[in-house]
Amino acid sequence: MAELRTPGRRVSRGVSRRGFLGLTGAAVALGAAGFAGREFLRPGQPGLVLPSQAPLPGRFEVSLPVPPVLRPTRSDGTTDYYDVVQQVADLEIVPGLRTEAWTYGGSFPGPTIVSRSGRRAVVRHRNELPHPTVVHLHGGHTPAESDGYPMDLVLPAEAGGAAGGHHAHDASGAAGSVVGQRDYTYPMEQRAATLWYHDHRHGFTGPAVWRGLAGFHLVHDDVEDGLHLPVGDRDLPLMITDRSFAADGGFHYPLLDPAMEEHGVEDRYMDGVLGDVVLVNGAPWPALRVDRARYRLRFLNASNARRYRLALDPQPSGGGVLMQVGGDGGLLERPIAHDAIDIAPAERFDVVVDFSRFAPGTRVRLLNRLGEGRTTEVMCFDVSSARVDDDARVPTRLATVERLDLSRATTTRTFRFQLSADHGWTINGEPYRAGRPSARPRLGDIEVWRFITDVHHPVHVHLDPFQVVGRNNRGPGPYDAGWKDTVDVRPAGGVEVAVRFTDYAGAFMLHCHNLEHEDMAMMADFVTE
Ligand code: C2O
Ligand code: CU
Ligand code: CU
């Protein structure tokens, strides 16, 4: 298998020339005005809808699945150990259709891992898929060797014999590539938060996640326990993804090279691939029966490129029904009441909805006000008429959020996320090259990072969360509160964040989380020291 012989070769090969020819012409001809025009044609939404070839499923016909919680294979005084087998599985996502998926443990989403802050989790990933993979814990405060550096492949187990785990070729990352399986060690020295894990292989993250490689990893702590937010069945992780389905039921994706030797998607999808079916926890437009009680809904946008504007319909009188209690990096200082929430790829919004504000029997739809046609709907909640107890609360003060002191910032760095005529999607004009860091922040320093864009780019930074300090020379926006690891930078926008990297020296990533942009090289290394 070509991958096995040359796991590091792709670094210098970069993106496919062929893939950018069409784009180059268009970009040169239209210039900046061309982007403005394209954004204008699809307000708020980069990317192009890939129509399904299979008949679309109905709405609200499937009930909401909740991914299984993974049990540790063993635990000791400090650590919980988990095993995940990455494998092809046939799933029934659309009723009556068989979809061949790439899965963590046979399900999409993969199993949810639940950790306690301060207790280490060691997750052994065994790759029984036909392609190399890399696992990244998004939002994890993780040492470099377990962070899922995009060149640190886990090569398919069968290619390397039964035992696996030994090192193959060292690419440029610290951990290098291994055959068969790898143990990822997560110290979990971090606040309670909604994290997620997903594939991160250089150049192929888009198709791998689209085919199913994503799951939740939740962290709990004592501060959260003390609040009495909704728990148990009333604490629901909701992974929102859009997908398209091929005639044979498989996930439809416009790969430039179906053999996956070359990176990238067909030219016209390079802005991003949008599906025409909305899935929540892997089910199309699901329905959930809810009690007239408070629910904690942990929204994760795990879509490749689609942005959503989430709103409930009807809105109860008085509004503010989406009571945000947390973001990417955990609990906010105080709850924020929203009527709608804009969520870009990889962002998380943790909200409490009080369904007792709706009349018994109401069907409450979760809408996407940025959608088109069927993608204007996401799921529905059917409010039951039974009387129930609800002792959950949303306190007016949630948690302490240390404010990073900008007057102590040592450095300001600017990262331009832009399309380049020669290189495709770039940061500061450079396509991704492993081992060429674009910044060397010192551990413990506070820095200001400025992200500037042409079109929409959801910018993500590994290792430590950041705080948004300004947007387009104004204060932070309504969805910028708290600790974040991904920020939705709007077209021709500028966002400044304050960040302080801590604990772990090594090579980490900064990239656009529109996965088509990421795969087509909108990524950079930074090295902490
Ligand atoms: Cu969610 Cu570097 O990724
Ligand atoms: Cu990440
Ligand atoms: Cu982007």
Side-chain angles (χ1 to χ4, degrees):
M1 193 177 168
E3 315 285 357
L4 189 62
R5 289 196 310 271
T6 59
R9 182 85 63 81
R10 290 182 193 285
V11 184
S12 50
R13 252 164 82 194
V15 293
S16 144
R17 299 291 307 172
R18 183 163 69 93
F20 287 116
L21 289 179
L23 160 85
T24 305
V28 169
L30 297 172
F35 286 120
R38 280 152 85 191
E39 287 288 333
F40 180 72
L41 288 173
R42 25 181 77 257
Q45 198 59 266
L48 183 64
V49 176
L50 175 68
S52 285
Q53 297 162 337
L56 298 191
R59 297 164 311 141
F60 313 144
E61 289 170 2
V62 179
S63 59
L64 176 81
V66 176
V69 171
L70 191 64
R71 287 172 168 279
T73 48
R74 69 194 166 91
S75 292
D76 59 29
T78 58
T79 308
D80 299 310
Y81 300 85
Y82 297 91
D83 279 340
V84 173
V85 178
Q86 303 175 355
Q87 58 195 279
V88 174
D90 281 343
L91 304 179
E92 189 174 353
I93 291 173
V94 171
L97 214 61
R98 190 191 64 100
T99 301
E100 189 183 285
W102 289 7
T103 67
Y104 292 119
S107 67
F108 170 60
T112 300
I113 298 177
V114 179
S115 287
R116 192 82 202 164
S117 175
R119 263 190 79 74
R120 184 163 50 215
V122 175
V123 186
R124 171 164 297 175
H125 276 273
R126 181 170 172 78
N127 181 5
E128 294 185 355
L129 292 166
H131 283 266
T133 59
V134 172
V135 182
H136 170 58
L137 176 59
H138 183 123
H141 183 53
T142 307
E145 59 274 17
S146 285
D147 192 50
Y149 190 73
M151 319 307 298
D152 292 346
L153 306 178
V154 182
L155 299 167
E158 43 178 80
H166 57 274
H167 281 249
H169 300 249
D170 232 32
S172 18
S177 294
V178 295
V179 177
Q181 65 189 35
R182 162 172 281 146
D183 289 354
Y184 291 89
T185 299
Y186 304 117
M188 290 292 149
E189 300 282 354
Q190 55 188 104
R191 314 166 80 224
T194 305
L195 314 183
W196 63 300
Y197 61 102
H198 62 77
D199 196 68
H200 213 301
R201 179 186 168 204
H202 176 46
F204 298 96
T205 297
V209 172
W210 186 269
R211 287 171 181 184
L213 292 180
F216 281 102
H217 191 144
L218 309 181
V219 187
H220 296 296
D221 68 11
D222 296 345
V223 174
E224 178 190 53
D225 288 353
L227 298 177
H228 301 286
L229 294 170
V231 293
D233 291 349
R234 295 183 188 160
D235 175 359
L236 293 168
L238 299 175
M239 179 187 289
I240 303 173
T241 55
D242 59 339
R243 293 290 184 269
S244 298
F245 292 88
D248 67 357
F251 288 125
H252 189 31
Y253 188 81
L255 279 172
L256 193 59
D257 170 17
M260 288 178 66
E261 300 279 323
E262 294 283 337
H263 302 178
V265 292
E266 294 168 20
D267 290 352
R268 60 209 177 101
Y269 291 101
M270 69 165 298
D271 284 350
V273 180
L274 307 178
D276 56 5
V277 176
V278 179
L279 308 177
V280 183
N281 293 345
W285 296 291
L288 177 71
R289 280 198 75 78
V290 290
D291 297 331
R292 296 188 68 224
R294 291 177 189 79
Y295 282 71
R296 179 175 183 176
L297 306 178
R298 301 170 185 256
F299 292 124
L300 158 65
N301 180 359
S303 306
N304 283 33
R306 186 180 285 280
R307 301 172 68 245
Y308 301 79
R309 179 166 297 155
L310 301 175
L312 294 181
D313 180 56
Q315 298 252 351
S317 64
V321 69
L322 300 171
M323 187 64 84
Q324 186 190 354
V325 295
D328 304 339
L331 293 165
L332 306 182
E333 215 158 57
R334 299 172 182 286
I336 301 174
H338 299 280
D339 290 332
I341 288 178
D342 284 15
I343 183 169
E347 284 188 303
R348 284 88 74 210
F349 285 87
D350 200 336
V351 306
V352 174
V353 172
D354 183 356
F355 286 103
S356 74
R357 294 178 65 189
F358 297 93
T362 308
R363 166 162 283 183
V364 181
R365 292 180 305 154
L366 179 64
L367 301 182
N368 167 26
R369 296 197 187 278
L370 296 178
E372 62 288 314
R374 306 272 296 271
T375 62
T376 54
E377 292 177 306
V378 177
M379 65 174 290
C380 78
F381 301 94
D382 289 314
V383 180
S384 96
S385 24
R387 294 190 68 88
V388 291
D389 292 335
D390 180 15
D391 48 19
R393 299 193 295 260
V394 181
T396 54
R397 227 201 114 70
L398 298 165
T400 305
V401 176
E402 177 204 353
R403 193 125 328 155
L404 294 179
D405 179 0
L406 288 179
S407 70
R408 288 185 42 228
T410 52
T411 314
T412 298
R413 304 181 197 269
T414 300
F415 299 94
R416 292 174 189 278
F417 288 74
Q418 59 201 4
L419 188 62
S420 130
D422 295 330
H423 301 295
W425 296 111
T426 64
I427 300 177
N428 290 341
E430 304 277 359
Y432 180 61
R433 277 229 325 259
R436 183 183 60 186
S438 62
R440 292 184 171 275
R442 286 214 320 260
L443 292 171
D445 279 4
I446 294 173
E447 300 200 353
V448 173
W449 285 19
R450 183 181 285 148
F451 307 131
I452 295 175
T453 53
D454 47 12
V455 296
H456 264 108
H457 298 291
V459 174
H460 171 50
V461 180
H462 287 213
L463 185 58
D464 279 281
F466 52 74
Q467 295 174 350
V468 177
V469 297
R471 206 179 249 284
N472 297 331
N473 301 317
R474 318 250 290 268
Y479 313 114
D480 291 334
W483 289 106
K484 290 182 65 62
D485 58 49
T486 307
V487 64
D488 185 24
V489 193
R490 314 288 158 76
V495 168
E496 279 187 345
V497 306
V499 63
R500 178 181 55 204
F501 298 106
T502 55
D503 298 321
Y504 307 121
F508 296 91
M509 318 302 303
L510 155 77
H511 61 90
C512 179
H513 221 290
N514 175 317
L515 299 183
E516 283 70 44
H517 297 188
E518 176 184 342
D519 280 347
M520 292 187 277
M522 194 169 252
M523 180 155 71
D525 283 3
F526 65 90
V527 172
T528 53
E529 46 197 21

